[in-house]
Amino acid sequence: SSICLNKENSKIHLYDINGECHDINDFCVIWWRRVSKTQSYLDESHDKFIHEVVNQSSYIHIFGLIKNYFKGHIINKPDAAILAENKITQIKVAISVGFNVPNTLFTNDPTELEKFYTYNKKNIIIKSYYNLAAIPIKTIQFTSMMLEDKEGIKMSPAIYQQLIDGNQHYRVIVIGDKYIAYETINSDLDSRLDLRKPIKVTNITQDLYEKLL
């Protein structure tokens, strides 16, 4: 895709996965979703550094084009989506509407993490703030051995949560005042990674529905 900002009335070109060129305003609606996925022309011949730079540059480029020049409707406006994807924002909003949220710590402070680990009876998990499109980072159980790596903890903030046992997982899509809920049974700690598990449409309680709205 391209745009030249020193020319008047220049068209903004976007290429689809088949290589066909489109003007950005040939579209009426754009769904802002999965924009961090690996670019289709990247393959194993490109190293991880190239993958990361190309994918992030493409994301920033498309964000700027759509945010500033697209005249149609956007489902999930980019700036709102970025805020909504922030994990601290998600937890804060979940608590504010009454969800029962596991004890959560966002930190790169070894001392605070040790207090949190002890408070939760040494039964917590660790999640990454950021996930690579090509290499998913698993959610795993945190151990006392990991706690010994003080410099590693300081290196980057991460998300630490009280471990909640269970095998029922729900995904709920809310559009306006309507929703679609899915349930999957999966005993894996990170249920996102094995998509072979059966999924079925389900209903949610009225109380949960009201909180989601």
Side-chain angles (χ1 to χ4, degrees):
S1 61
S2 62
I3 176 173
C4 183
L5 295 180
N6 62 357
K7 292 182 179 180
E8 294 183 2
N9 301 319
S10 61
K11 289 189 175 181
I12 302 170
H13 298 295
L14 295 173
Y15 291 88
D16 62 27
I17 60 173
N18 297 315
E20 295 184 15
C21 183
H22 305 272
D23 183 278
I24 192 172
N25 285 304
D26 287 343
F27 302 100
C28 298
V29 179
I30 289 178
W31 188 5
W32 182 263
R33 187 171 185 271
R34 302 294 187 191
V35 290
S36 60
K37 285 183 70 65
T38 299
Q39 297 298 300
S40 60
Y41 47 82
L42 291 172
D43 55 35
E44 294 179 357
S45 67
H46 303 99
D47 63 30
K48 294 178 182 178
F49 174 77
I50 296 297
H51 274 257
E52 188 67 11
V53 171
V54 169
N55 288 328
Q56 287 301 308
S57 297
S58 299
Y59 172 88
I60 294 167
H61 178 71
I62 296 298
F63 173 86
L65 293 181
I66 292 177
K67 171 66 177 173
N68 291 287
Y69 294 100
F70 180 58
K71 298 175 182 177
H73 296 285
I74 304 175
I75 300 174
N76 290 349
K77 291 188 177 180
D79 44 356
I82 289 172
L83 179 61
E85 289 167 358
N86 184 274
K87 300 301 182 184
I88 295 177
T89 301
Q90 291 174 6
I91 295 295
K92 180 182 178 184
V93 171
I95 292 172
S96 71
V97 298
F99 278 102
N100 186 14
V101 176
N103 297 331
T104 305
L105 175 68
F106 301 88
T107 194
N108 64 337
D109 184 332
T111 302
E112 291 301 315
L113 177 55
E114 185 170 7
K115 293 177 184 176
F116 184 77
Y117 184 57
T118 303
Y119 178 80
N120 288 283
K121 300 179 181 178
K122 302 182 178 181
N123 201 27
I124 66 173
I125 59 174
I126 176 174
K127 301 178 181 180
S128 174
Y129 265 105
Y130 178 72
N131 215 344
L132 298 174
I135 311 172
I137 302 174
K138 293 176 64 176
T139 295
I140 59 175
Q141 187 159 3
F142 190 78
T143 66
S144 56
M145 186 177 295
M146 295 177 185
L147 191 59
E148 295 173 5
D149 184 11
K150 309 295 185 187
E151 294 306 311
I153 293 168
K154 291 178 183 177
M155 190 177 297
S156 174
I159 306 165
Y160 303 89
Q161 280 189 319
Q162 172 189 11
L163 175 60
I164 305 296
D165 291 324
N167 64 357
Q168 290 177 282
H169 304 270
Y170 296 89
R171 295 289 183 268
V172 183
I173 301 171
V174 179
I175 303 174
D177 60 354
K178 301 184 184 300
Y179 77 88
I180 304 173
Y182 299 90
E183 177 190 23
T184 181
I185 305 298
N186 191 339
S187 58
D188 295 340
L189 181 58
D190 195 332
S191 62
R192 303 168 300 168
L193 300 180
D194 189 354
L195 300 181
R196 297 169 298 176
K197 302 292 184 181
I199 298 175
K200 67 176 183 179
V201 177
T202 188
N203 293 312
I204 58 176
T205 64
Q206 182 65 25
D207 177 62
L208 179 55
Y209 168 74
E210 291 174 358
K211 289 175 180 176
L212 289 171
L213 291 182

